[in-house]
Structure formats: structure tokens, C-alpha cells
Amino acid sequence: MDKILVVEDEIKLARFVELELKHEGYEVFVANDGRTGVEMFFEKEPDLIILDLMLPQLSGIEVCRRIRKESDVPIIMLTAKGETMDKVMGLDSGADDYMTKPFAIEELLARLRAFSRRKTPAKTSSSTVLTLKDLTMDLAKRSVKYKGEEIELTKREFELLQYLIENKNIVISREQILNNVWGYDYIGETNVVDVYVRYLRTKIDDKYSVKLIHTIRGVGYFAKDEE
Ligand code: CA
């Protein structure tokens, strides 16, 4: 990964992030409003986007939606204090990750490295189909079905479900999920895991009235195969 698009209307912050990323060897493009951000995405074809939520012209959510129609490029959403993650992610814009401002630049860099690590290794298990009760996951086709009915998942939801099913009937801690699915060492907010588990439950457990993902209070989660 080498090209990063930063869409941020706080000029000082945008400039700071730009300089830090350039220092790390990334090629960086900056847009200071949402509309320019979308244009630059198509023009520059970045490998990752850092996207502020509150932007002039087009909001971060709208930018994210427009880009998602065309690409599954990783998107890290920036939110200001007070804009809670639930609110942001609940809009289901398709962002892969989020960070609350102000953040430490080291944390941002760690996440960027995690994204580029995940991109490189070719999946060895490309023909694998995972199952959990009546649910099947085709890793090669990136498709999920419940009793044959297709379920639309975002990239992150898919990876989370895959990890849970690969470790089915084993209790997994939030930290393990973060390290394996998000790919960075836990620094801040493990409740991002809870939010994504809730998404999966809405799309699968609630919709089909099954209980696939179980919570062990204070410990973590597990996907249960047996009754
Ligand atoms: Ca802003």
C-alpha cells in the first residue's frame, strides 16, 4: 500500500497527517471537502482513504457510500469527540475502521500497517467453505448464505464472521478478535468489536431468528455450532 487519500477539512490536521504519512514513505493526496474527496478518489486511485465524518460539500458518510459503490478500498473514518461510534457506524456507511480525534499519529500508522499487511498474503484456503448450522460462507466467492439465502455483509463483517466460525465453539476475547480481524494491537476501543457483533446479529441472528453468536459476559464471544 502506498497511496493514501486524506479527506479532512481541518487544514492544520490534514497538513499534519500528510507530513507524517509522507515521512513514512506514503504518497499522500489531500482533499479539504467531500466533493473534492470523491473526485480525487477516482482520479488518484488511492490504496486507502482516511475520511473525516463532518465535511463541507458532502459528508464523510456520503463520500463513503459513493466510493463503496465502486470499490472496497479500506476506509478509516475520523470522528470528533462526541460523535459516538454507534452513531457513525450505525449509519452503515461501509467504513472499515474509525478513529476518534484527537488521536496519536502512532495509532494511525499502526492501523495503516495492519491494512497493508492484510492485503499482501494470498489466501491459501481460497476454495474453503465454512459452515455454522444452516449458515455457509464461501471464502472464495466472499458470499454468505443462510439456508441458501444470500446475506449481504461488509468486508469487516465478513472477516469477523469468518474468524468466529473458524474458531467455532471456542470462546474468543475481544482482544483476540481485534488482533486477528482488525489486525492491530489493541490501543483504544475494544467496543468496536461489540458494534460489529451487533451488526452481524442484526443481519443474521435477528433476521432468521437463530442464535449463532453467543456472548460470554466479561470474556468475549463465540459462534456455537452444537445445540
Ligand atoms: Ca471536519
Side-chain angles (χ1 to χ4, degrees), residues 48-180:
L48 183 141
I49 301 171
I50 297 167
L51 177 62
D52 187 31
L53 177 67
M54 299 300 285
L55 288 168
Q57 310 280 350
L58 286 178
S59 74
I61 297 290
E62 188 52 33
V63 171
C64 201
R65 284 198 184 124
R66 292 191 186 188
I67 290 173
R68 271 290 167 268
K69 283 185 187 158
E70 310 292 331
S71 157
D72 62 357
V73 61
I75 297 176
I76 300 177
M77 193 77 95
L78 299 182
T79 69
K81 253 194 184 151
E83 302 164 352
T84 66
M85 179 179 56
D86 276 30
K87 205 160 96 194
V88 177
M89 303 310 288
L91 296 166
D92 204 10
S93 58
D96 297 280
D97 205 347
Y98 85 102
M99 290 182 72
T100 309
K101 296 190 276 191
F103 51 84
I105 195 74
E106 291 75 21
E107 185 178 352
L108 177 62
L109 294 174
R111 294 191 189 193
L112 294 180
R113 282 193 293 271
F115 274 109
S116 55
R117 260 205 312 276
R118 235 173 315 123
K119 240 182 121 182
T120 26
K123 279 245 160 32
T124 46
S125 55
S126 57
S127 63
T128 312
V129 174
L130 303 176
T131 63
L132 181 71
K133 291 186 180 168
D134 292 322
L135 183 126
T136 55
M137 279 190 99
D138 187 322
L139 301 183
K141 293 183 188 155
R142 306 280 299 173
S143 82
V144 182
K145 287 179 179 171
Y146 189 81
K147 291 189 174 169
E149 193 176 321
E150 188 85 29
I151 301 169
E152 294 271 346
L153 296 183
T154 65
K155 191 160 156 284
R156 183 75 78 192
E157 290 162 355
F158 187 95
E159 286 167 4
L160 173 60
L161 184 63
Q162 179 183 346
Y163 184 66
L164 286 168
I165 296 181
E166 279 171 346
N167 295 284
K168 62 187 177 186
N169 303 320
I170 302 170
V171 179
I172 310 163
S173 71
R174 288 174 180 78
E175 284 75 14
Q176 281 174 302
I177 293 173
L178 266 185
N179 289 335
N180 286 281

